[in-house]
Amino acid sequence: MRKITLALVAMLTVACGPVEPASQVADSTAVPPGAVVIGGETVKAISIRHAGGELMYVPAYSHIFHRNASRQIDLAVTLSVRNSDPEYSITVNHIGYYDDNGALVRDYATEPIVLGPLSSRAFVVDESDRTAGVGANFLVEWRAEDSVSAPVVEAVMISTASAQGITFVSRGFPVRVFESAE
């Protein structure tokens, strides 16, 4: 199923062609404001910029099961917080690591962390640290005064024990959106 999905995405990407801003299209008068031309077709652009901020939930796994419930593989977890905006900074006010029951295990942002344009920070949970359990997660709160693109927040889990390599990523998603005070 995954191979089919990847093949469809690849075909659609090739079929659509490059995205051209309306200003670079020969007859830009036919392209309404807030639209782009993709593969010769005019499509309304969706703004992904906003001022305010978000509280993001990021699934993480301190260990996973294999073969049965008694066989487990410990995983190192790297939380990556990346400011995707090329012009403006964001401020990260909270990075909490929570356990299976929703209890705070560790606070990674004891004071606000300013991430400049296109900068990032990584926070690591050691491979031997099982305190949060298999249902571990992070809550990341970020804010911005300017209209910015949302940061990319991901947890990367990895283990290279017993001559095996296991790596996977889980992406954060917003559970609350904070509007600007303007």
Side-chain angles (χ1 to χ4, degrees):
M1 183 66 173
R2 182 174 182 178
K3 288 181 183 179
I4 293 171
T5 303
L6 290 174
L8 288 172
V9 169
M11 286 188 295
L12 288 171
T13 302
V14 171
C16 289
V19 175
E20 303 170 35
S23 61
Q24 294 178 1
V25 176
D27 184 17
S28 63
T29 57
V31 179
V36 294
V37 176
I38 301 175
E41 291 188 39
T42 302
V43 182
K44 182 176 180 184
I46 299 171
S47 173
I48 56 170
R49 300 177 67 81
H50 63 88
E54 295 173 326
L55 180 65
M56 300 182 79
Y57 176 87
V58 188
Y61 304 86
S62 63
H63 59 281
I64 57 173
F65 302 101
H66 69 105
R67 294 193 184 158
N68 58 47
S70 64
R71 298 189 71 175
Q72 301 172 12
I73 298 173
D74 291 335
L75 301 167
V77 180
T78 303
L79 177 73
S80 177
V81 181
R82 299 169 177 261
N83 180 2
S84 66
D85 198 282
E87 297 179 54
Y88 299 104
S89 297
I90 63 169
T91 301
V92 179
N93 293 315
H94 176 73
I95 299 175
Y97 183 54
Y98 295 83
D99 70 10
D100 300 272
N101 298 311
L104 181 64
V105 172
R106 194 169 299 113
D107 184 357
Y108 283 97
T110 55
E111 58 186 48
I113 300 167
V114 176
L115 293 178
L118 301 178
S119 66
S120 63
R121 271 297 199 41
F123 306 89
V124 178
V125 179
D126 293 339
E127 184 176 44
S128 60
D129 184 349
R130 287 186 167 201
T131 54
V134 73
N137 61 79
F138 292 94
L139 283 179
V140 177
E141 179 196 314
W142 68 272
R143 304 264 181 159
E145 292 179 20
D146 298 299
S147 183
V148 298
S149 55
V152 176
V153 183
E154 299 172 315
V156 179
M157 281 68 58
I158 185 169
S159 175
T160 56
S162 305
Q164 273 187 311
I166 298 172
T167 305
F168 57 99
V169 176
S170 63
R171 182 163 274 191
F173 57 92
V175 293
R176 283 203 185 99
V177 175
F178 307 112
E179 296 300 322
S180 174
E182 296 175 2

